[in-house]
Amino acid sequence: MAEVTLTIDGIEVTVPKDISILKAAQKVGIKIPTLCYLEGINAVGACRICVVEVEGREELVTSCNTPVEEGMVVRTNTPAVRESRRMTLELILANHPMECPTCPRNGNCELQNLAAQFNIRGLRLPALPREELPLDTSTVAIIRDPNKCIVCRRCESVCGIIQTVGAIALQGKGFTATVAPVGGRYLDQTNCVQCGQCALVCPVGAIYERDDTDKVWAALADPNKHVVVQTAPAVHVTIGEMFGMPVGTDATGKIVAALRRLGFDAIFDTNFAADLTIMEEGSELLERIQKGGVLPQFTSCSPGWIKFLEHFYPELIPHISSCKSPQQMFGAVVKTFYAQLKGINPANIVSVSIMPCTAKKFEAARPEMNASGYRDVDIVLTSRELGRMIREAGLDFANLPDENYDDPFGIGTGAGQIFGATGGVMEAALRTAYELATGKTLPKLDFTEVRGMKGIKEAAVDLNGTTIRVLVAHGLGNARMLMEKLKAGELKDYHFIEVMTCPGGCIGGGGQPIPTTTEIREQRIAGIYERDKKLPYRKSHENPDIKKLYEEFLGRPLSHKSHELLHTHYTPRLSWQALKAGTK
């Protein structure tokens, strides 16, 4: 790759010629402040916080989207640069609600942090007059506060470029501009999949998850309610970040201890339900292969992906596995088998889940998720919401002892744990499908071909003479590429496709701790696989609690009872074309 040499603040540096001044400065230890910039996604220079001086140019330039040049001389910390950045911040603050103490991003807000970095203790500009806009509370998962939008366009870029959903876009001009659904619609009138990636990248509190912690506190305080909770695999290695622990730390035991101190009556591991999902989904795959069913089969554990398919590719719905996600399977088993085992009226059970994903709130509210006669899952909290509850209770999370899950759903395997990373569902399925189909022990347990941050991965495995070809995609833009290839007839030789809505899989879910960068995703994934190695069982079909559930209640995978409780169906939604046209 061709290189250029330039000078930044008196330091000579040689870098690839196609990078920006911002990236070049990082290589010499200079951190230029940014607000709208997202590496590889959003480099529009809209906020102008990253301006620098370039010798020979009359105007300051935005460093995030200005490429380096041979012999360029850059200055990042001159009086003119500092004054420009400060004035830009003051203009933003003059048009921003000063509600920091009550904002959901208080203490973790990029605008707030920049104001502190630039030592802004007062504004030279009066607050600008603006119309108070109503909150968009139309969805069960995401809330929009257009009054706090600083028009950085990060959310628009993630929604349009990474997820290819395009539910929101720039509306209006000047100080009236905001990023919102097209045509003045509410989010629930769009094709929004409620993945929460917009909330994950918003630098302020303009988009955030609906907070359901008060519902949980009320249930815990009700003596007539038996409140059970499940914790998703991705949460195990992310929640610690909210309490100063290194990224990727396995905090499972401390999560259990915290939940016990919060007052939950029973604390279970969603890894158990992930193992249950593998038993059902793997059996469904083998049945489709043997009986000529619709192939390739799609995974169904990522609710944003399912909603995406219902909107954009309803004709491909028959490819989706009929299995519910681990969250929903767990809820159904809690309201039936567990209720019977404990002699509790399921009407008095409140089923709570701790998830990395805002779309899980939408999934739990789907009308079909009540085969037991009760809602499978009553309340979904994201990682961030659980963190707030732990803080509110005054718990010293990092110093809590490690405690164990309760019976009968306290055992989860390594296969269930890796559900939290892209490729994990596929790898878990292959570990079990191989041994169920061949009756042989896997010669190699780790399917490294489906691991990592590559957007689309593939692998092949021999099952009793039949080569099973699989694909893995994370991020809905990558999923769209596969769907287009499938429609064009290019994937007819593949058997199984895993799709995770969010980049990196659930470890990068929309409800995870902020910030969530590519580097952080990779560290979380490493934590996922490290925990997999340490667990006593690493294959779903070896889980003794799963064996007991089938022996005492379900009978076998794909039995009538398991179909009744653990499987579901999906239906087409308004198409994107119809939504744009305002028709049905």
Side-chain angles (χ1 to χ4, degrees):
M1 183 181 293
E3 294 183 327
V4 298
T5 299
L6 68 156
T7 303
I8 304 177
D9 292 346
I11 303 170
E12 190 174 276
V13 58
T14 300
V15 296
K17 71 172 185 177
D18 59 347
I19 71 169
S20 66
I21 294 174
L22 178 73
K23 297 296 293 181
Q26 290 174 0
K27 292 184 178 295
V28 292
I30 298 171
K31 184 178 180 181
I32 298 173
T34 63
L35 196 53
C36 66
Y37 175 74
L38 280 178
E39 185 172 352
I41 303 171
N42 198 42
V44 296
C47 70
R48 296 195 62 80
I49 296 295
C50 70
V51 293
V52 296
E53 281 187 5
V54 174
E55 194 171 278
R57 301 192 189 184
E58 293 185 5
E59 302 291 336
L60 300 179
V61 303
T62 48
S63 62
C64 70
N65 59 1
T66 300
V68 295
E69 296 176 4
E70 179 65 38
M72 179 181 274
V73 176
V74 178
R75 299 182 182 89
T76 73
N77 189 32
T78 66
V81 166
R82 290 196 302 274
E83 178 58 23
S84 175
R85 292 173 182 170
R86 185 182 181 91
M87 180 57 71
T88 297
L89 276 173
E90 290 188 26
L91 280 168
I92 294 172
L93 291 168
N95 193 42
H96 194 75
M98 305 300 275
E99 301 169 355
C100 296
T102 57
C103 178
R105 290 294 298 274
N106 185 31
N108 189 21
C109 168
E110 293 180 45
L111 180 60
Q112 193 179 58
N113 292 342
L114 282 173
Q117 179 181 335
F118 282 88
N119 198 31
I120 295 176
R121 295 293 177 261
L123 299 181
R124 292 171 290 178
L125 302 171
L128 298 173
R130 56 184 178 80
E131 179 186 0
E132 189 73 18
L133 300 172
L135 295 182
D136 181 350
T137 61
S138 60
T139 74
V140 298
I142 303 293
I143 293 176
R144 287 182 52 254
D145 185 349
N147 302 291
K148 293 178 181 174
C149 179
I150 60 171
V151 202
C152 69
R153 305 182 71 176
R154 284 186 184 181
C155 58
E156 178 186 14
S157 296
V158 167
C159 188
I161 298 172
I162 300 301
Q163 301 297 60
T164 65
V165 170
I168 50 180
L170 182 66
Q171 309 291 313
K173 296 180 180 179
F175 286 111
T176 64
T178 187
V179 178
V182 177
R185 295 187 182 95
Y186 288 104
L187 270 180
D188 70 340
Q189 298 169 325
T190 73
N191 56 341
C192 171
V193 300
Q194 300 185 43
C195 68
Q197 289 299 301
C198 54
L200 203 61
V201 300
C202 178
V204 292
I207 306 179
Y208 53 94
E209 74 280 8
R210 182 182 292 275
D211 191 302
D212 291 312
T213 56
D214 282 347
K215 295 179 183 178
V216 177
W217 284 123
L220 292 171
D222 189 339
N224 298 314
K225 297 298 182 182
H226 183 82
V227 189
V228 305
V229 63
Q230 56 169 306
T231 64
V235 177
H236 299 161
V237 298
T238 61
I239 193 74
E241 295 169 36
M242 300 187 69
F243 302 95
M245 301 173 77
V247 177
T249 299
D250 177 11
T252 307
K254 299 185 189 305
I255 294 172
V256 175
L259 293 169
R260 197 161 278 137
R261 284 153 180 75
L262 291 177
F264 286 92
D265 296 296
I267 304 158
F268 299 129
D269 191 353
T270 310
N271 286 14
F272 165 87
D275 289 331
L276 183 59
T277 300
I278 288 301
M279 296 301 294
E280 295 292 324
E281 196 169 55
S283 298
E284 181 185 4
L285 174 63
L286 292 175
E287 183 176 80
R288 288 193 187 202
I289 292 171
Q290 293 163 1
K291 297 184 178 180
V294 177
L295 293 172
Q297 176 178 301
F298 300 159
T299 56
S300 56
C301 59
S302 185
W305 148 242
I306 297 300
K307 193 169 187 287
F308 175 84
L309 206 71
E310 289 175 326
H311 279 300
F312 291 95
Y313 298 96
E315 70 275 19
L316 299 181
I317 286 176
H319 288 267
I320 305 175
S321 166
S322 65
C323 291
K324 292 180 178 179
S325 72
Q327 170 181 266
Q328 299 304 131
M329 283 195 180
F330 203 109
V333 171
V334 161
K335 297 288 181 77
T336 54
F337 176 70
Y338 177 77
Q340 293 174 23
L341 189 69
K342 298 296 184 180
I344 303 171
N345 183 344
N348 295 327
I349 294 177
V350 178
S351 177
V352 179
S353 68
I354 311 299
M355 292 287 139
C357 174
T358 52
K360 287 291 181 184
K361 292 175 181 281
F362 168 80
E363 180 184 53
R366 294 181 75 117
E368 64 268 25
M369 297 298 181
N370 63 348
S372 67
Y374 302 90
R375 300 302 308 167
D376 292 341
V377 174
D378 297 297
I379 308 170
V380 178
L381 299 182
T382 63
S383 302
R384 295 195 292 268
E385 287 169 275
L386 175 60
R388 291 198 287 269
M389 286 189 72
I390 292 171
R391 286 198 182 107
E392 192 173 346
L395 299 178
D396 183 4
F397 182 84
N399 291 310
L400 289 175
D402 290 336
E403 296 183 5
N404 296 320
Y405 287 104
D406 295 319
D407 293 329
F409 310 131
I411 297 177
T413 70
Q417 179 61 45
I418 62 178
F419 262 58
T422 170
V425 177
M426 184 63 69
E427 182 171 350
L430 291 175
R431 290 180 186 182
T432 286
Y434 178 90
E435 297 198 358
L436 291 181
T438 66
K440 301 175 184 177
T441 302
L442 265 172
K444 183 185 72 168
L445 197 59
D446 298 330
F447 288 89
T448 55
E449 301 93 329
V450 297
R451 296 184 181 182
M453 287 292 290
K454 185 179 178 182
I456 297 175
K457 297 158 283 190
E458 64 177 291
V461 61
D462 185 279
L463 296 187
N464 265 354
T466 300
T467 299
I468 304 299
R469 300 184 68 191
V470 303
L471 288 162
V472 171
H474 60 113
L476 293 176
N478 291 316
R480 183 183 292 278
M481 284 191 277
L482 289 184
M483 295 307 100
E484 291 297 327
K485 288 184 177 182
L486 181 60
K487 287 176 62 178
E490 297 177 27
L491 304 182
K492 59 184 178 182
D493 294 329
Y494 288 85
H495 301 84
F496 200 19
I497 298 178
E498 175 203 305
V499 175
M500 286 291 179
T501 302
C502 300
C506 298
I507 52 86
Q512 291 284 38
I514 296 171
T516 294
T517 63
T518 298
E519 182 181 359
I520 287 173
R521 287 182 174 94
E522 290 172 345
Q523 291 174 301
R524 291 171 180 172
I525 287 173
I528 287 275
Y529 286 110
E530 186 62 29
R531 185 161 196 266
D532 165 39
K533 291 178 183 177
K534 293 178 179 178
L535 289 172
Y537 303 100
R538 296 187 65 196
K539 306 167 191 172
S540 297
H541 57 285
E542 293 180 347
N543 186 329
D545 282 354
I546 291 292
K547 293 177 180 179
K548 182 178 180 180
L549 179 65
Y550 278 109
E551 289 169 0
E552 298 182 5
F553 187 63
L554 294 174
R556 58 178 177 80
L558 305 184
S559 68
H560 175 75
K561 182 165 284 188
S562 71
H563 264 295
E564 185 178 62
L565 294 176
L566 308 181
H567 294 251
T568 189
H569 63 278
Y570 302 102
T571 55
R573 296 180 183 272
L574 283 177
S575 70
W576 174 225
Q577 291 80 7
L579 285 164
K580 283 188 73 175
T583 60
K584 292 187 177 182

